[in-house]
Amino acid sequence: MRNVGTGPGPITPDGSPVDFYSLLPPGAEPDLVAQVTPAGGSILELGAGVGRVTHALVENGFEVVAVDESAEMLARVRGAETVLGRVQSLRLDRRFDTVMLASQLVNTVDDLSRRELLGTCARHVKSGGSVLIQWMPAEAHDRWHVGMGRQDGDFTITMDAVAEVSPGIFHATMRYGYGQDKVWTQSFASKRLTDDQLAADLAAEGLRLDRFLTEDRMWVVATTA
């Protein structure tokens, strides 16, 4: 399945609506990063997008390097060093207190791409540092259904379609709304990973699953093995 997006404004090759993510607030992510990063520490944000989380991290005194393969996304980042390129092949010859891989990128259906993503995390985190990963746990996939979602002020996020097209592989479409008249959709594929599968992929890249940072288990902290 090719990721596809629709709606007003630019849409990136992976289907992400740039204008929607520019409007979306940072949520709880900056606080989660602060839990695993020393005050004023360095953060490598992989798949940073428009800087939705980046800007809050910079305001909180962190040194952030924001990486994304979309020039349209990175053009909206302010106050941080930006790097345009694929996360999977990134080699900065630098290490960071925290490496952050958000947006469930690790749930890619391409097993090689997942290993490459985690390899990038491993080669950029300091010894004793943290790799902070947002993923979709197996039990969360099991709860997916059409119509699920949430509303937060002017924002609505709803699952418009979902199907398990082969064992453990899901195709889904999300509908994003803002205000009365702005609507976007984003279609994507996601692989249902168990805890053991994630731990094995981390271990293959020299990382160790340390703990789950949130009650819903959607944020994982890994450390160097």
Side-chain angles (χ1 to χ4, degrees), residues 1-6 15 144-148 157-163 170-176 183-190:
M1 178 186 186
R2 188 172 66 88
N3 292 2
V4 177
T6 67
W144 277 5
H145 63 271
V146 173
M148 68 178 294
I157 300 176
T158 310
M159 184 167 281
D160 256 10
V162 61
F170 292 78
H171 288 178
T173 298
M174 301 301 296
R175 181 183 186 275
Y176 308 131
V183 175
W184 300 265
T185 67
Q186 184 174 7
S187 299
F188 60 93
S190 182

Side-chain angles (χ1 to χ4, degrees), residues 2 18 142:
R2 188 172 66 88
V18 177
D142 297 338

